């Protein structure tokens, strides 16, 4: 189990690394490819769209054909697509290749969650998902720093060569350490019609849908930040590329620590109460940042402190909302994981380019996007509360 978990972490780690490593290069990339902030952010949007579509396709396929084959094929294609990103001659090519990178690399994310659902249930599954997310939170901490070093030394294209090497390592780990976890007798049969029926069944589960929306909007908060933070740190707060990387890393470190703490809380507190706390912890600092942007009172210490608090909230929401959602559809873990990831990717893909509409010298769209996304996550939770049964929910894995 530890070896398999490590391999699943490495597979899933490729996607956040592919998101975060090139963020400090946004201004450089814009100049090199002759585009603006919205054009550069389109490379992030295409990647997220591909990842969302990939999860929607590969998750149900893994319910039908098993976990191992889709994860190996997807990982292999991701290696090739990532290498080609480093050779992209124009923005159009990079946007298309980033889409393919996300589409194929989604296998490691969506099928990894399904594998955990196959081998564990209840509190154990929630803790494994928490550990997985906590380790994945290392990416925002190390990726911008590593990316900044690579960019300053060899330019933004070298980042994609590093990512290609990481993807190859992840593929190798999948070959040797991820066995088939879905026996043939548990696989869903019946072709495309049965797959669509499975999707309808999952989407008809209101509890699953509500928790998925909470999860997706929380990740939209994250991607509003990712889409605009480089311009905030460099153009508004005057940081260098190296200092921007350090700022990214400090925010990512908060995600790591908070994620690890949250895994200790699972089983001791109701996941719904942890989710509720996370939603407010995410919304309050986002709104405060928005107010600071309106009043032109953005200062680095205050910005970082409020971002740290917001990321604690994001971690609380992401861990508990995803665990609660997947617990509701154990009969279709691959499909449930796919729709969970698709909601994340689609909502994030919509959010990322919108923060660039105001140009490179304002943070208001970024913080407004974070606030609106946090409000929508809270509204999804409140709507879910209205339809929830009156019995009090116990911690995941405990007796009801």
């Amino acid at each position: 189990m530890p070896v398999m978990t490590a391999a699943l972490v490495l597979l899933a780690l490729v996607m956040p690394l592919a998101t975060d490593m090139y963020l400090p290069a946004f201004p450089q990339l814009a100049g090199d490819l002759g585009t603006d902030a919205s054009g550069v952010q389109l490379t992030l949007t295409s990647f997220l769209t591909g990842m969302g579509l990939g999860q929607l396709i590969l998750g149900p396929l893994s319910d039908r054909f098993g976990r191992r084959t889709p994860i190996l094929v997807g990982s292999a294609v991701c290696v090739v697509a990532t290498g080609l990103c480093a050779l992209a001659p124009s923005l159009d090519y990079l946007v298309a290749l980033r889409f393919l990178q996300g589409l194929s690399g989604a296998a490691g994310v969506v099928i990894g969650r399904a594998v955990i659902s196959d081998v564990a249930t209840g509190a154990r599954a929630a803790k494994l998902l928490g550990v997985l997310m906590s380790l994945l939170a290392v990416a925002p901490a190390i990726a911008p720093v590593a990316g900044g070093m690579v960019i300053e030394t060899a330019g933004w294209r070298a980042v994609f060569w590093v990512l290609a090497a990481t993807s190859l390592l992840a593929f190798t780990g999948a070959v040797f350490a991820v066995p088939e976890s879905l026996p043939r007798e548990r696989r869903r049969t019946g072709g495309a019609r049965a797959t669509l029926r499975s999707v309808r069944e999952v989407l008809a589960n209101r509890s699953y849908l509500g928790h998925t929306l909470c999860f997706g909007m929380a990740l939209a908060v994250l991607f509003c930040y990712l889409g605009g933070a480089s311009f905030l740190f460099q153009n508004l707060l005057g940081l260098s590329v190296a200092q921007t990387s350090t700022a990214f890393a400090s925010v990512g470190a908060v995600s790591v620590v908070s994620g690890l703490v949250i895994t200790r809380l699972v089983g001791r507190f109701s996941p719904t109460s942890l989710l509720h706390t996370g939603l407010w912890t995410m919304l309050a600092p986002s709104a405060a940042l928005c107010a600071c942007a309106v009043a032109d009172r953005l200062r680095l210490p205050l910005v970082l402190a409020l971002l740290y608090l917001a990321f604690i909230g994001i971690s609380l929401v992401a861990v508990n909302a995803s665990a609660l959602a997947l617990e509701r559809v154990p009969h279709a873990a691959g499909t449930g994981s796919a729709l969970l990831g698709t909601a994340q990717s689609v909502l994030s893909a919509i959010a990322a380019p919108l923060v660039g509409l105001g140009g490179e010298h304002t943070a208001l769209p970024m913080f407004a996007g974070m606030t609106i996304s946090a409000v929508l996550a809270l509204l999804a939770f409140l709507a879910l509360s209205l339809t929830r049964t009156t019995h009090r929910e116990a911690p995941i894995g405990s007796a009801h």
Side-chain angles (χ1 to χ4, degrees):
M1 180 73 75
V3 175
M4 184 189 73
T5 302
L8 292 175
V9 168
L10 186 57
L11 282 164
L13 193 62
V14 172
M15 292 294 94
L17 286 177
T19 302
D20 296 331
M21 274 194 75
Y22 85 136
L23 293 178
F26 270 22
Q28 182 188 109
L29 196 153
D32 190 26
L33 297 181
T35 185
D36 56 12
S38 291
V40 173
Q41 285 154 351
L42 189 58
T43 66
L44 182 58
T45 294
S46 65
F47 172 78
L48 294 171
T49 303
M51 189 164 68
L53 183 60
Q55 291 183 81
L56 192 60
I57 294 171
L58 295 170
L61 282 178
S62 75
D63 281 340
R64 183 181 177 190
F65 297 107
R67 313 299 187 202
R68 184 170 166 81
T69 298
I71 210 169
L72 291 179
V73 173
S75 300
V77 174
C78 186
V79 174
V80 177
T82 306
L84 291 175
C85 283
L87 302 173
S90 68
L91 179 66
D92 291 340
Y93 277 97
L94 184 58
V95 168
L97 289 168
R98 286 282 282 170
F99 175 83
L100 180 60
Q101 183 189 31
L103 184 73
S104 55
V109 179
V110 65
I111 301 176
R113 283 195 300 257
V115 169
I116 289 176
S117 184
D118 290 338
V119 301
T121 58
R124 188 182 178 206
K127 288 185 176 182
L128 281 175
L129 285 168
V131 169
L132 180 65
M133 290 184 180
S134 298
L135 293 174
L136 290 180
V138 172
I142 64 172
V145 175
M149 294 172 61
V150 172
I151 292 160
E152 289 195 322
T153 303
W156 66 268
R157 294 181 186 276
V159 169
F160 287 101
W161 289 121
V162 172
L163 289 171
T166 305
S167 299
L168 180 59
L169 181 62
F171 170 74
T172 304
V175 170
F176 292 104
V178 180
E180 180 55 67
S181 62
L182 186 66
R184 291 186 178 276
E185 60 271 17
R186 288 176 52 196
R187 297 178 189 177
R188 300 179 72 91
T189 58
R193 183 173 298 179
T195 298
L196 291 175
R197 184 168 60 249
S198 175
V199 170
R200 286 196 299 268
E201 290 173 359
V202 170
L203 290 176
N205 187 313
R206 291 185 179 182
S207 181
Y208 168 86
L209 190 59
H211 290 116
T212 296
L213 289 174
C214 286
F215 176 80
M217 295 315 305
L219 271 294
V221 174
L222 168 63
F223 278 92
C224 284
Y225 160 78
L226 293 177
S230 286
F231 299 106
L232 166 70
F233 290 138
Q234 294 180 46
N235 295 352
L236 294 179
L237 299 177
L239 303 187
S240 66
V241 171
Q243 290 170 330
T244 296
S245 300
T246 302
F248 271 116
S250 68
V251 177
V254 172
S255 293
V256 175
V257 174
S258 60
L260 292 173
V261 171
I262 290 166
T263 61
R264 304 289 296 179
L265 298 177
V266 172
R268 299 183 182 182
F269 298 93
S270 162
T272 300
S273 66
L274 292 174
L275 173 58
H276 189 205
T277 300
L279 288 165
W280 283 108
T281 306
M282 182 173 67
L283 173 58
S286 297
L289 285 165
C290 191
C292 288
V294 170
D296 195 22
R297 291 290 186 269
L298 293 173
R299 302 294 182 269
L300 183 61
L302 177 62
V303 168
L304 287 178
L306 291 172
L307 285 174
Y308 296 158
L309 187 59
F311 267 68
I312 292 172
I314 291 172
S315 295
L316 276 166
V317 175
V319 169
N320 289 285
S322 60
L324 285 165
L326 290 178
E327 187 182 63
R328 300 308 189 263
V329 288
H331 58 288
T335 301
S337 179
L339 294 173
L340 189 74
T342 299
Q344 167 199 335
S345 297
V346 170
L347 293 171
S348 300
I350 293 171
L354 293 180
V355 304
L357 293 179
E360 301 177 16
H361 299 282
T362 176
L364 183 57
M366 168 186 169
F367 294 136
M370 291 175 62
T371 303
I372 292 170
S373 299
V375 168
L376 292 175
L378 181 60
L379 290 176
F381 176 83
L382 294 176
L384 180 64
S385 298
L386 292 176
T387 60
R388 188 179 293 120
T389 55
T390 56
H391 76 275
R392 186 176 181 180
E393 182 186 10
I396 292 177
S398 63
H400 290 270

